[in-house]
């Protein structure tokens, strides 16, 4: 049990810190403070990603030969910590580098890998994950987007939904149905596609949070080459599982205000009987949030320890999102209620802490759904970790085309 | 960074589990539970002493094994799994750790070797009635080296040889070592939520008391002792919570209702998943606490509070929901669920309730983030 850096880790941290001090300042001098989801913000993000890649700080655990840093998982965590402290970190690349590109690396031929991995690491190209559909969210394998073989090509028709970043992405991994006559999991096939193809139409969706980060994506006779297939025909579910497993690692910890920020707010506001920070009910909640956040942080450290000892990480990471998403929602709501009548205001110029709690309140419901709902994650823990029986699956032996459907 | 037991520590933990499987099965626990005259299992106590566990972290010069605190945590986790009916926490976490951290050389020499040899049982006496003990309510007092007043309840006070007693002297709180076998000490055994541990009322009427640590520093010293104990207790709680989850899982996999094993029903699956999540949060906080304890890190007070809060929550949840999963069987005396339910309450209260620790944690965070 050692919480401190080992000498090698400390040296790496020092090196990263020194590099960040200079590079982050230079980056800020060039780009200043930009509003998220603007073209300038995206350009800044790409610039920062390229800077990191040049110094071996992008995709730290990937081999240097493909553009990564050739480092260890612990180094990646250390750099992440220091990058957060330096106040930098853009979200645009998480899905591509965390989920899509690893899937490409696992299933594509060597030319495809050579073509795509390094541009993605440098931030030149961004990827999205085209899995969910109106008929298949939690039950992804119920998706209906059809891919039909036509000589050397496949022709794809259908619709995806809630695809984060589709509107700015260059490529995507797309899960399709290639055989409706077999049970749902057996008739799927995965492809990579060019998002700029004219047969791909992307319509941003207005989210309840007010943002427009995810999209509907339509395919009308989209032609892809058979060489764009990832994995065997009919083996798409196996390929998708690799993506989904990486997803749980990638989305474990979530950004957003934590116990520190709400403590700061509570210090400034008055409560019912004195400063809000002295309210006993609030203090108990604060203690719980601290304990949960630290618990998650140290759980990640346990995963790192397992990795550094050459073990495969356990399922600990699946608990991360359940806790952090729910905590964000409760914490944000407590902060908003603490502001009393004023809490209704969401205007960043008026609301305390630039309305970050109001924004989190409106974003948290999505966090509890994206990347697996609370209920699905609990099923995963129950079935894969604890070994309990699966839910009753009435569609298991039914051909996809005969499956009952709802709305 | 290294967030797990080492191979040696894992070996020790496995050995401890094997020993306890052989010497502390549930019949041993029930032997104490069902017998109002016994508050611990003497044979197990002797065995544990022979294993060297009582002196695991006592330096060799005082007759111990001189191992680190992480090793002690590993033992605590195993003791918690089997709800061991012995005064281990009172003797080791409170008395031995307290004397090690705050005692004079003379006090160490007088007490530690006897603990390591299994010849001395300890206890910590702070409470004087319902509610939180504070400077304003402390009535036990020391005058001219003699102790007067009443402590209630004192866990293991019915069997302990030496007590650490919080009392005021000249209006200031101090912590005192008191030999309970002397004249001037009266004990009355009381009933408790967890009969596998003894509880007593101790009345002092002029008993000789020897101060541990500085005059007037009683509250701080007790808190320092509780910080250390909180980490060790968290491991006992974690062991208990893990066992509750296992028992619930085993039962759910064997019980049928409506034509299916109940473990297949999502309400039950999600309950067990919730237990797992809480247990893992507790484990991670406990590991951080173990590191802080072992290294005497300045982070100890915060780490200990977090470990205690997380472990208290995990054990409470696992023990109550394990009964629920067992249905009517779970509510019977014969099924073991209630042993854990009882112990979860005992461990959550013995070093101060979670509410007190939450307040302690937040006030520490306030100081830390004052700027
Ligand atoms: C912000 C955001 C970003 C997203 N980004 C992407 C993306 O980039 N790419 C992509 O492919 N998808 C994306 N998604 C989609 C996301 O993966 C799905 O929304 C999610 O998996 C849930 O599916 P659903 O919305 O169809 O809900 P449903 O599956 O219809 O679920 C509705 C309710 O039923 C419950 N439920 C469903 N099945 C079970 C079960 N077996 N047991 C118990 N309860 C059950 C759910 O937990 C939920 O409460 C995103 C979603 C959000 C909110």
């Amino acid at each position: 049990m050692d919480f401190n850096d080992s000498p090698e880790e400390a040296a790496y941290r020092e090196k990263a810190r020194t590099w960040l001090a200079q590079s982050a300042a230079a980056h800020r001098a060039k780009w200043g403070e930009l509003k998220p989801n603007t073209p300038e913000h995206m350009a800044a993000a790409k610039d920062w990603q390229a800077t990191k890649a040049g110094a071996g700080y992008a995709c730290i655990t990937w081999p240097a030969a493909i553009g990564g840093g050739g480092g260890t998982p612990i180094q990646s965590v250390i750099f992440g910590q220091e990058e957060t402290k330096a106040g930098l970190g853009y979200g645009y690349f998480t899905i591509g580098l965390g989920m899509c590109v690893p899937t490409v690396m696992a299933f594509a031929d060597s030319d495809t890998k050579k073509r795509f991995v390094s541009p993605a690491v440098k931030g030149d190209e961004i990827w999205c994950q085209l899995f969910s559909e109106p008929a298949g969210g939690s039950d992804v394998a119920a998706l209906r987007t059809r891919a039909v073989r036509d000589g050397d090509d496949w022709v794809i028709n259908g619709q995806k939904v809630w695809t984060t970043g589709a509107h700015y992405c260059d490529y995507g991994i797309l899960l399709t149905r290639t055989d409706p006559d077999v049970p749902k999991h057996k008739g799927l096939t995965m492809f990579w596609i060019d998002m700029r193809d004219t047969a791909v139409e992307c319509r941003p969706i207005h989210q309840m949070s007010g943002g427009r980060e995810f999209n509907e994506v339509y395919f009308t006779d989209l032609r892809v080459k058979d060489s764009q297939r990832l994995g065997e025909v009919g083996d798409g579910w196996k390929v998708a599982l690799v993506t989904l497993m990486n997803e749980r690692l990638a989305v474990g910890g979530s950004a957003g205000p934590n116990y520190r920020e709400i403590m700061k707010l509570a210090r400034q506001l008055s409560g019912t009987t004195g400063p809000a920070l002295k309210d006993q009910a609030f203090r108990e909640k604060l203690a719980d949030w601290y304990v949960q956040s630290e618990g998650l942080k140290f759980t990640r450290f346990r995963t790192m320890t397992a990795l550094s000892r050459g073990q495969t990480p356990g399922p600990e990471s699946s608990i991360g999102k359940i806790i952090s998403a729910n905590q964000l929602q409760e914490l944000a709501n407590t902060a908003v209620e603490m502001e009393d009548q004023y809490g209704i205001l969401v205007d960043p110029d008026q609301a305390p802490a630039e309305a970050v709690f109001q924004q989190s309140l409106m974003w948290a419901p999505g966090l509890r759904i994206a990347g697996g709902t609370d209920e699905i994650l609990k099923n995963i823990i129950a079935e894969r970790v604890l070994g309990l029986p699966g839910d009753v699956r009435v569609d298991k032996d039914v051909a996809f085309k005969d499956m009952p459907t709802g709305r | 960074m290294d967030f797990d037991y080492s191979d040696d520590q894992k070996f020790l933990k496995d050995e401890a589990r094997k020993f306890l499987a052989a010497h502390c099965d549930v019949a041993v626990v029930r032997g104490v539970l069902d017998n109002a005259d016994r508050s611990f299992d003497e044979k197990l106590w002797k065995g544990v002493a022979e294993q060297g566990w009582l002196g695991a972290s006592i330096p060799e010069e005082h007759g111990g094994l001189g191992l680190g605190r992480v090793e002690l945590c590993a033992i605590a986790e195993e003791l918690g799994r089997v709800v061991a009916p012995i005064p281990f926490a009172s003797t080791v976490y409170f008395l031995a750790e307290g004397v090690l951290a705050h005692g004079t050389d003379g006090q160490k020499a007088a007490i530690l070797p006897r603990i390591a040899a299994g010849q001395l049982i300890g206890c910590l006496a702070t409470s004087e009635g319902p509610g939180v003990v504070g400077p304003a309510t402390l009535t036990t007092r020391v005058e001219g080296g003699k102790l007067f007043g009443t402590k209630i309840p004192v866990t293991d006070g019915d069997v302990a040889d030496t007590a650490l007693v919080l009392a005021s002297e000249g209006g200031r709180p101090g912590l005192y070592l008191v030999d309970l076998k002397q004249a001037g000490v009266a004990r009355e055994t009381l009933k408790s939520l967890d009969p596998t541990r003894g509880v007593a009322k101790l009345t002092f009427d002029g008993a000789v008391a020897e101060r541990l640590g500085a005059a007037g520093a009683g509250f701080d010293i007790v808190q320092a002792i509780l910080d250390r104990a909180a980490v060790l207790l968290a491991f006992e709680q974690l062991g208990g919570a893990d066992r509750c989850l296992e028992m619930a899982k085993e039962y759910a996999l064997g019980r049928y209702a409506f034509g299916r094993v109940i473990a297949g029903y999502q309400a039950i699956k999600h309950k067990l998943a919730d237990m797992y999540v809480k247990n893992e949060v507790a484990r991670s906080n406990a590991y951080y606490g173990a590191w802080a304890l072992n290294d005497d890190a300045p982070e100890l007070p915060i780490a200990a509070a977090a470990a205690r809060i997380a472990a208290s929550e995990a054990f409470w949840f696992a023990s109550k929901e394990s009964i629920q999963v067992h249905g009517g069987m779970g509510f019977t005396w014969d099924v073991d669920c209630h042993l854990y339910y009882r112990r979860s309450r005992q461990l959550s209260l013995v070093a101060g309730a979670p509410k007190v620790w939450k307040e302690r944690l937040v006030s520490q965070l306030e100081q830390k983030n004052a700027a």
Side-chain angles (χ1 to χ4, degrees):
Chain A
M1 251 24 109
D2 194 354
F3 177 68
N4 293 316
D5 289 336
S6 69
E8 302 85 66
E9 287 158 11
Y12 184 84
R13 190 184 293 280
E14 198 44 49
K15 206 180 100 196
R17 209 179 264 165
T18 313
W19 182 82
L20 273 165
Q22 281 185 0
S23 315
H27 178 75
R28 275 218 195 73
K30 186 161 152 202
W31 293 99
E33 300 293 336
L34 297 160
K35 260 182 117 66
N37 302 312
T38 56
E40 298 75 33
H41 193 258
M42 169 67 82
K46 289 189 166 194
D47 179 72
W48 179 238
Q49 186 68 19
T51 310
K52 285 199 296 183
Y57 289 124
C59 302
I60 288 170
T61 57
W62 297 6
I66 59 167
T72 65
I74 293 190
Q75 290 178 343
S76 168
V77 169
I78 291 175
F79 184 82
Q81 289 169 343
E82 295 302 323
E83 190 183 22
T84 308
K85 274 189 221 154
L88 282 173
Y90 296 98
Y92 299 107
F93 310 101
T94 314
I95 291 176
L97 296 176
M99 288 133 70
C100 305
V101 180
T103 309
V104 170
M105 290 198 289
F107 293 97
D109 57 49
S110 60
D111 283 349
T112 308
K113 284 188 247 183
K114 207 173 280 164
R115 161 65 189 82
F116 286 115
V117 176
S118 142
V121 175
K122 286 191 209 126
D124 288 343
E125 291 168 356
I126 307 187
W127 286 67
C128 60
Q129 177 202 19
L130 302 144
F131 284 17
S132 301
E133 293 189 12
S138 301
D139 186 8
V140 190
L143 60 84
R144 297 175 185 168
T145 293
R146 281 298 310 267
V148 178
R149 187 92 195 216
D150 180 23
D152 236 10
D153 290 353
W154 291 83
V155 180
I156 299 175
N157 280 285
Q159 182 204 343
K160 295 286 167 182
V161 72
W162 308 306
T163 316
T164 300
H167 55 304
Y168 55 68
C169 280
D170 304 282
Y171 297 95
I173 55 172
L174 174 68
L175 193 57
T176 63
R177 179 157 314 276
T178 42
D179 187 354
D181 296 326
V182 294
K184 62 179 183 182
H185 287 109
K186 300 200 171 124
L188 303 173
T189 303
M190 185 83 85
F191 298 93
W192 65 260
I193 65 161
D194 181 349
M195 293 298 289
R196 310 285 182 215
D197 194 299
T198 50
V200 178
E201 188 202 346
C202 181
R203 296 185 199 157
I205 305 176
H206 200 173
Q207 296 158 191
M208 67 167 270
S209 56
R212 293 173 193 271
E213 284 108 32
F214 62 22
N215 306 267
E216 293 177 301
V217 184
Y218 293 84
F219 313 100
T220 316
D221 293 331
L222 168 68
R223 292 191 89 83
V224 301
K225 299 236 164 320
D226 188 52
S227 60
Q228 287 173 241
R229 185 160 42 78
L230 298 170
E232 298 305 313
V233 176
D235 249 359
W237 186 245
K238 203 175 92 191
V239 182
L241 282 181
V242 169
T243 319
L244 295 174
M245 236 130 75
N246 281 313
E247 176 160 19
R248 256 136 235 152
L249 283 177
V251 298
S254 72
N258 60 18
Y259 72 90
R260 276 195 201 85
E261 275 89 45
I262 199 171
M263 236 176 120
K264 206 165 133 195
L265 179 71
R267 214 185 278 283
Q268 295 158 1
L269 301 183
S270 52
T272 45
T273 56
L277 182 55
K278 297 298 171 193
D279 176 77
Q280 210 52 42
F282 171 71
R283 292 169 85 81
E284 289 194 26
K285 284 190 197 169
L286 186 62
D288 288 335
W289 292 327
Y290 174 86
V291 167
Q292 286 180 341
S293 309
E294 295 296 285
L296 276 194
K297 181 170 103 189
F298 299 133
T299 300
R300 280 195 281 279
F301 288 2
R302 283 167 52 206
T303 308
M304 291 306 136
T305 301
L307 281 169
S308 68
R309 289 184 186 175
Q311 299 155 1
T312 37
E316 295 95 355
S317 42
S318 52
I319 74 175
K321 204 178 77 85
I322 300 181
I323 293 185
S324 56
N326 282 281
Q327 171 169 321
L328 183 69
Q329 193 164 38
E330 284 306 310
L331 186 147
N333 186 49
T334 302
V336 167
E337 288 188 359
M338 192 185 282
E339 294 171 17
D340 208 58
Q341 299 183 39
Y342 213 84
I344 305 169
L345 291 180
V346 72
D347 186 341
D349 298 331
Q350 293 289 338
E354 296 176 337
V356 51
F357 293 107
Q358 278 78 1
Q359 283 157 17
S360 296
L361 184 73
M362 298 312 288
W363 169 243
L367 197 60
R368 288 184 56 195
I369 295 166
T373 61
D374 288 2
E375 291 75 20
I376 294 298
L377 292 178
K378 284 185 191 179
N379 275 356
I380 289 176
I381 292 174
E383 293 169 22
R384 310 241 182 97
V385 182
L386 300 176
L388 304 180
D391 285 4
V392 170
R393 303 238 151 85
V394 293
D395 57 0
K396 213 169 87 189
D397 302 316
V398 183
F400 175 75
K401 63 174 173 27
D402 301 329
M403 254 172 57
T405 53
R407 266 179 284 160
Chain B
M1 181 208 308
D2 182 357
F3 247 59
D4 198 357
Y5 291 116
S6 69
D7 287 345
D8 285 351
Q9 288 157 354
K10 279 187 186 145
F11 178 77
L12 172 81
K13 194 164 173 291
D14 284 350
E15 292 297 304
R17 184 171 297 197
K18 281 185 211 148
F19 176 84
L20 289 170
H23 297 95
C24 185
D25 64 11
V26 73
V28 171
V29 183
R30 286 180 174 273
V32 176
L33 178 78
D34 291 332
N35 187 337
D37 299 333
R38 294 177 66 210
S39 64
F40 76 111
D41 189 272
E42 299 78 2
K43 200 163 150 239
L44 177 63
W45 185 246
K46 259 188 88 182
V48 160
E50 278 159 16
Q51 294 296 304
W53 296 354
L54 295 172
S57 292
I58 293 176
E60 283 163 309
E61 62 191 278
H62 294 305
L65 298 180
L67 299 171
R69 293 305 180 293
V70 180
E71 283 77 0
L72 195 53
C73 289
I75 293 169
E77 193 178 337
E78 294 306 321
L79 290 169
R81 269 183 74 82
V82 297
V83 287
I86 48 174
F88 194 85
S90 295
T91 305
V92 178
Y93 316 157
F94 293 151
L95 184 61
E97 289 290 309
V99 168
L100 263 171
H102 305 280
T104 61
D105 288 346
Q107 286 167 336
K108 287 181 191 167
I111 288 181
L112 298 176
R114 288 164 64 209
I115 289 181
Q119 295 159 353
L120 189 148
I121 293 173
C123 66
L124 175 67
T126 56
S127 176
E128 297 185 349
V132 179
V133 205
T137 57
L138 195 61
T139 61
T140 315
R141 61 186 205 287
V142 170
E143 275 167 22
K146 300 280 169 65
L147 177 65
F148 301 89
T150 301
K151 289 291 179 186
I152 175 170
V154 181
T155 296
D156 299 314
D158 57 335
V159 293
D161 302 286
T162 299
L164 282 173
V165 183
L166 180 67
S168 68
E169 182 171 10
R172 300 196 306 156
L175 188 62
Y176 298 85
L177 278 164
V178 181
D179 180 350
L180 297 179
K181 299 252 158 99
Q182 60 177 309
V185 178
R187 320 190 202 206
E188 185 188 333
T189 303
L190 306 170
K191 285 195 169 136
S192 87
L193 278 173
D194 180 6
T196 64
R197 308 303 323 282
V199 171
K201 172 177 165 186
L202 298 183
T203 307
F204 303 102
D205 187 13
V208 178
E210 179 185 331
R211 205 178 60 238
L212 183 82
F219 274 101
D220 294 342
I221 297 171
V222 166
Q223 191 56 61
I225 291 174
L226 292 181
D227 280 347
R228 301 178 74 80
V231 175
L232 295 155
L233 291 168
F235 276 89
E236 286 203 9
Q237 292 169 307
L238 180 62
D242 274 343
R243 184 63 196 132
C244 287
L245 172 55
E246 273 172 26
M247 290 188 327
K249 186 178 129 178
E250 282 160 20
Y251 188 80
L253 284 169
R255 173 75 177 169
Y256 280 71
F258 304 100
R260 289 168 65 195
V261 282
I262 59 167
Y265 289 110
Q266 214 175 54
I268 298 293
K269 283 162 71 175
H270 285 191
K271 207 184 270 308
L272 299 188
D274 287 339
M275 281 187 206
Y276 174 81
V277 168
K278 286 184 197 295
N279 288 3
E280 292 311 301
V281 168
R283 189 182 324 281
S284 297
N285 278 296
Y287 281 12
Y288 180 53
W291 164 77
L293 175 64
N294 195 58
D295 281 33
D296 255 323
E299 291 89 340
L300 178 63
I302 285 184
R308 179 154 180 80
I309 294 164
S312 295
E313 167 64 19
F315 198 8
W316 166 238
F317 184 80
S319 71
K320 76 186 166 89
E321 296 307 316
S322 170
I323 298 176
Q324 183 70 15
V325 171
H326 280 76
M329 287 301 290
F331 191 60
T332 63
W333 189 267
D334 288 345
V335 167
D336 297 336
C337 293
H338 68 111
L339 303 179
Y340 289 84
Y341 190 71
R342 293 172 189 287
R343 184 56 69 83
S344 107
R345 297 304 76 216
Q346 200 274 339
L347 288 174
S348 269
L349 298 174
V350 69
K355 201 181 169 82
V356 177
W357 285 90
K358 287 184 183 178
E359 175 50 37
R360 175 162 170 76
L361 173 62
V362 171
S363 48
Q364 304 256 343
L365 291 176
E366 264 183 292
Q367 283 168 28
K368 197 176 145 193
N369 297 316

